[in-house]
Amino acid sequence: MIDIAIPKGSLQNQTLQLFEQAGLEIRRTEREYNARINDPRVGKVKILRPQEIPSYVAKGYFDLGISGTDWIMESRADILTVAELNYGKQGPGKVKVVVAVPEGEKIYSAKDIRPNSRISTEYPVLTASFFSKLGIPVDIEYSFGATEAKVPELTDVVVDLTETGSTLRKNGLKIVDVILESTSQLIANKTSWADPEKREDIQAVETLLSAVIRARGKVLIDLNVPEDRIEEVISVLPSMKNPTISKLYNSGYYAVESVVDKSQVNLLIPRLKKAGAEDILELDISKIVP
Amino acid sequence: MIDIAIPKGSLQNQTLQLFEQAGLEIRRTEREYNARINDPRVGKVKILRPQEIPSYVAKGYFDLGISGTDWIMESRADILTVAELNYGKQGPGKVKVVVAVPEGEKIYSAKDIRPNSRISTEYPVLTASFFSKLGIPVDIEYSFGATEAKVPELTDVVVDLTETGSTLRKNGLKIVDVILESTSQLIANKTSWADPEKREDIQAVETLLSAVIRARGKVLIDLNVPEDRIEEVISVLPSMKNPTISKLYNSGYYAVESVVDKSQVNLLIPRLKKAGAEDILELDISKIVP
Amino acid sequence: MIDIAIPKGSLQNQTLQLFEQAGLEIRRTEREYNARINDPRVGKVKILRPQEIPSYVAKGYFDLGISGTDWIMESRADILTVAELNYGKQGPGKVKVVVAVPEGEKIYSAKDIRPNSRISTEYPVLTASFFSKLGIPVDIEYSFGATEAKVPELTDVVVDLTETGSTLRKNGLKIVDVILESTSQLIANKTSWADPEKREDIQAVETLLSAVIRARGKVLIDLNVPEDRIEEVISVLPSMKNPTISKLYNSGYYAVESVVDKSQVNLLIPRLKKAGAEDILELDISKIVP
Amino acid sequence: MIDIAIPKGSLQNQTLQLFEQAGLEIRRTEREYNARINDPRVGKVKILRPQEIPSYVAKGYFDLGISGTDWIMESRADILTVAELNYGKQGPGKVKVVVAVPEGEKIYSAKDIRPNSRISTEYPVLTASFFSKLGIPVDIEYSFGATEAKVPELTDVVVDLTETGSTLRKNGLKIVDVILESTSQLIANKTSWADPEKREDIQAVETLLSAVIRARGKVLIDLNVPEDRIEEVISVLPSMKNPTISKLYNSGYYAVESVVDKSQVNLLIPRLKKAGAEDILELDISKIVP
Amino acid sequence: MIDIAIPKGSLQNQTLQLFEQAGLEIRRTEREYNARINDPRVGKVKILRPQEIPSYVAKGYFDLGISGTDWIMESRADILTVAELNYGKQGPGKVKVVVAVPEGEKIYSAKDIRPNSRISTEYPVLTASFFSKLGIPVDIEYSFGATEAKVPELTDVVVDLTETGSTLRKNGLKIVDVILESTSQLIANKTSWADPEKREDIQAVETLLSAVIRARGKVLIDLNVPEDRIEEVISVLPSMKNPTISKLYNSGYYAVESVVDKSQVNLLIPRLKKAGAEDILELDISKIVP
Amino acid sequence: MIDIAIPKGSLQNQTLQLFEQAGLEIRRTEREYNARINDPRVGKVKILRPQEIPSYVAKGYFDLGISGTDWIMESRADILTVAELNYGKQGPGKVKVVVAVPEGEKIYSAKDIRPNSRISTEYPVLTASFFSKLGIPVDIEYSFGATEAKVPELTDVVVDLTETGSTLRKNGLKIVDVILESTSQLIANKTSWADPEKREDIQAVETLLSAVIRARGKVLIDLNVPEDRIEEVISVLPSMKNPTISKLYNSGYYAVESVVDKSQVNLLIPRLKKAGAEDILELDISKIVP
């Protein structure tokens, strides 16, 4: 039985939805941040700031947790990454921790930043390590938020999290370097992982969460094809895995079923039709376990 | 052709959604509580308080109706229960009519209630019958609502509907007994049921509504398995029904398709994988007719 | 590569949803009405008033566009209709351009309208053409909207778009004739269509959009049937297309899969059950390409 | 010190707002229906259904309460009306308990109602008394709500509360009689009223509530007027009360201040201007105690 | 008695609010665009597009109407402006009809626009007149909206309404000229104005509307001042009108009351305090009639 | 001219509203956190986290700022408090930084906390100083929020901000000590304050903000009283300041005007009436400068 830490705040909604789709619905109890998952493998569930989850997992307060790459790196917590879950605040996709300076500055990369510049950031550890590798001495100040507003009066450089960069642009900043790309990670305590029983439970949870993540980017394609064009249709299907083919009863047709990338469907369907496919159906999938 | 009474109020949204998913969409007309279902088997459709539906169905104003177990019992209406639909205000699940008293009272079961206690309730019939069976004389007062607020000043005991009990707890009450469990019921007029034509229409509607209810708790599992592990995979699948197995064309694999309980999926998938299943897909189902 | 014009306003939400479901998600850019579709076949995408789209497509500013039948006819634009997409503001269905007069008037058809009546309308071209064919001289005034409010003081007759007619009725009007029925149309520039490369891209987009529209009205029925009742079950299934039938492994059953009209399911399922079908499942479909 | 019962439901928002404006803000406590007013004259405050408040006040569970005329009459509770507060669900104004029948019926007054008609109502006591006075025997059935929907299938006549009658009209009903006009009443227990200390507290609360109600329909008019036109201006002002007049320092002007009906201001201001008033100001008033 | 046309759309909310504050509340009737004002001087009230109101007032369909300067000019309607009401969609303030071109263009004033440029606009009459005065031949195309999106592909120049210019800037446009400033106008039919009875009613309505508009920008300042500093305080007060001064009873103080601009209060209060004012109060005013 | 820092987050809405009511409306510019106040005395305006404002004011980046007592103390910033503004997130009132422990613990004051307890807090400086004074060594851990959720598993003691304590209670905690009471403070840079010109501007802004705060808790009472009861009425009025009394023209009455505490009005009005006051009016006040 394993204890799990769930991130409060920007990752919270997406995380609750992921667990529910995985069949591991997180229910709130009367004590606001204590939750419950109705599954024999799961013990205590707590909702905490993502900044704090890596350390709490490392210290063994929890066996498993979810946090962003940014906070895992910033906290330098000694944990094990079980799976990359590939979602952020808005849904799928990555965010970036970037270095930004006022648009008008003649700075085109972090290397051009002047020694002893003031840098405002929620990531002092990442920032110190990044500039120390570059060999540029800088004056780092912890920022409680709205960091992009501080340039140019209150600071010279900003190290901040961004999805599209548009908030930075609106505040007159340009991105000159990327410190890291961040996404949601499923992380485990190393001692828990070493324990075979706990590891089995961790892997079961990982299987279910990853099954949902995988299914989000895929659809099921179902089609019929006359015997003489089956090869042609198969050659059009993406090759990652053999499709499921069955001969139809009492007719010269095969039924073909294949899981394909949602983003490729708009190109694939016209090609399948050309190759002889008939009655193509697209269906949504809830989970995929390969 | 049958006339149907639909409950207004707390069951209304879930009922409208159920009928729509069943392919029996309820459309409002210009007269607010008169509705229409575009189906040759359905005549008049009216939206009424669930308290009143059992009596109206019993009197023959409607052939079919939906109400809660609580109001069916309270009204003592002489009707036939066609199906238990198993949803409440919030979705699936049951609610309970309970006996509650102030937390501090030394009462641990309805039997401990002092004779001549004042009882406030929306269910005077159920309450009278319950205490009469216990042989405790009580002073029952009809409550128009907010019953839990009346203890201890305005009443001694409360008989009220509750889902989780948390409203009662917040008002300083504890549950000491359960009078009945209530869920949505599909009820019919007995004379209509005796008429073969009407019964056929009632059963057709029941088939569709139950098909949706059944599908809500299930998912479709689709998987491939190598010939030599087919028995192992089948032995892991819940035994309620034989799975659909077909041999794949030109390969040593079987395709297996099975409907399983949504609540068991989180335990089942890891076991299927262990048993040799590959390419496990989970798909949502809209209706199931066994 | 083709340029596309998307309608702003009442058709906008339904259009954005259709393109997203078709795998052709329309993303906004920093310039509000300029959008982008992440597909190699699509170039410029702009969001414009549906009134203006037919002319812009005719002039070649765009290769492809979406507008309503009403504006295509009103603008007399010389375009080619690629597909009827069959959705309006509220979802599926048609709207009508009608002739309406005050309830109390002894007018029962457009033919009864008195010569030289004042007509208020957003469709002066359609209206002029309609009354000219009837041989009734009328005084047409362009209306900027809320046309139904102008009768009887400001105008005698109204030519307006309506879905259910209830807005007209509320304003004391009755419909006496229908000028045209309108739905969303996918329209192409004629020169683009004549160009084989562009035509291929137009057809690919049409395939995807129509696949979604088609799937909206259908569901997938999956069932098992014992060998001896297979003919009976098949005879009940709508005949548009042969169902997909496969023999189940090691049992006396067939699996049957068929796409059927959503609106027929409530009648079909009870019949299938009677014919011997077991384990009937209904699944949603995202796209259908015949 | 007095205990007060506040109505839950349709009168609740307006009541909470009235008490707040009166300087007697009702604050919720941790127990949902128990409230608190921070005033030495007020003891226990409870939020209850308006149907039940008259009886609870009559029984002495509360010294003071607010309910509608309809429930005071229906309950036949023996209470004292301290003040009519003149607000309903939507704000100021009265609602009516009416007798309604299907539009097409040849019934033009309650006297025309056929003996033994079925009457559906939430007010069985009021209805019985009303028809007994008319000498018409009727079959009264308690209605849990949505009463207007029951005509003509489930009942013949409806006795219901209405504000504008439009809900009745939409359901095909016409009003043929008014049983009573209802507004919010401040009611007291008769024994509490007889107690001089409690009566003083009841009157203090009444003074404050009535001061707010009175101010809602009035505004303060402030104007200057030259000496020679003072009589003319005064003659235009409504005569209920002498205006406050003071001579301005060192000029030939008077300042006049008067409280006038909000609904008369649109007629009064043009008249005042004509009579010689200058610099007319209109100001809002929070409370008026005459 | 006078008939009034009220603008639907962007000016509607502000107009309804203005009439309500003026004591002339506009109530909707069962026919959506027909309204009613409970005042003996007002007859028919209709809600219509602001584009159409000037013509309808000119033709005598209404005695009085509200529309923007832009549509009054565009329609060339022959009406009389009774008062400028000085509010727009968002509240007080003016909007402008401007000439805009792509940011990068070397055009700095309307004079620089190239002959035969395509101009897209909702104001073809104003645009034609403006460019004809400049002597530049242009190709004007009527735009149904979203005009700013059409540059540069669909048009070269835009003539559009703007409040802050930010929508234009976001679409890559710059303003190079202003054709007119627009605000809400109270307009009358000239024949109605010539009729003494109607003119009196028009003026009464104007008095009330203008009284509210005037009060919105003002506050009432109330202060006490010792006798010896009265002159100093008066000299600080804005000079538009003499303040109301009264001697206080039995003390060496004067009470001074003055109406001042809301926008000047932040500067005025510190100065009044310096000049000897004590107990300065600021109160809101609902109406001012000078 | 002075630069001002405005707090983002929980104090933001109340601060924006205060400045607007003070006639110093804060308008957003195109750069999100840079704002503008249209007043000749105000220069740069920036919206920043309240945690950071005290330091930025101390360093001279701003002349004036608003922050809570908690952050001013936590940051140990060397600033000058110009005025206590007495509002929090929800409106008027104070919040407290408290010490809380699990309900069941036998700890009744901070003194009872066991040495080396783990303490989780957003206020490490305040906490360290508080426990150092008590002579109890503790293990302080910085908390990023949701601190109350960490007891008992992740920490032993919590130091947190609370308004009513109900969030703590819901999480099973009890308050055992108060470290400080916090409200909004107007703070200035000490060098700016020493500069006579800047100080004058700071004081002008303070006058306006305090005038609004003061007016929020007061109302204006206006009444008439016959000559012979004037002394009695005056003796009932709160004595803080002499009321404004003027003799009415041509009658035996005085008009009395007095500003009184809103919270006392419910007690005062009944007393004034008893003392002979007539026509008592209560009016709202926007600003008070004493």
Side-chain angles (χ1 to χ4, degrees), chain D residues 198-211:
Chain D
K198 289 211 166 189
R199 190 195 296 193
E200 190 170 350
D201 289 348
I202 290 170
Q203 285 174 327
V205 169
E206 188 274 330
T207 295
L208 294 165
L209 298 178
S210 294

Side-chain angles (χ1 to χ4, degrees), chain C residues 188-209:
Chain C
N189 175 273
K190 288 185 166 173
T191 314
S192 307
W193 184 255
D195 169 344
E197 273 180 45
K198 291 211 163 187
R199 189 194 297 194
E200 190 170 350
D201 290 347
I202 289 170
Q203 285 174 325
V205 168
E206 188 275 328
T207 295
L208 294 166
L209 297 178

Side-chain angles (χ1 to χ4, degrees), chain D residues 166 169 222 224 246-249 255 257 262 265-267 269-270 273-274 277-284, chain E residues 22-24 30 39-41 200 204 207-208 220 241 244-245 254 257 259 284-290:
Chain D
S166 73
R169 268 196 303 279
D222 227 4
N224 293 339
S246 50
K247 205 159 183 317
L248 292 187
Y249 170 72
E257 203 177 282
K262 205 179 262 184
V265 163
N266 58 352
L267 297 170
I269 285 180
K273 226 182 128 183
K274 255 196 179 166
E278 295 175 17
D279 300 328
I280 307 171
L281 304 185
E282 179 190 311
L283 290 99
D284 282 338
Chain E
L24 298 163
E30 306 204 344
D39 185 294
R41 294 165 301 209
E200 190 170 351
T207 295
L208 293 166
L220 181 64
K241 188 81 206 189
T244 299
I245 303 169
Y254 288 99
E257 204 178 280
V259 173
D284 282 338
I285 310 170
S286 303
K287 292 204 191 95
I288 300 178
V289 181

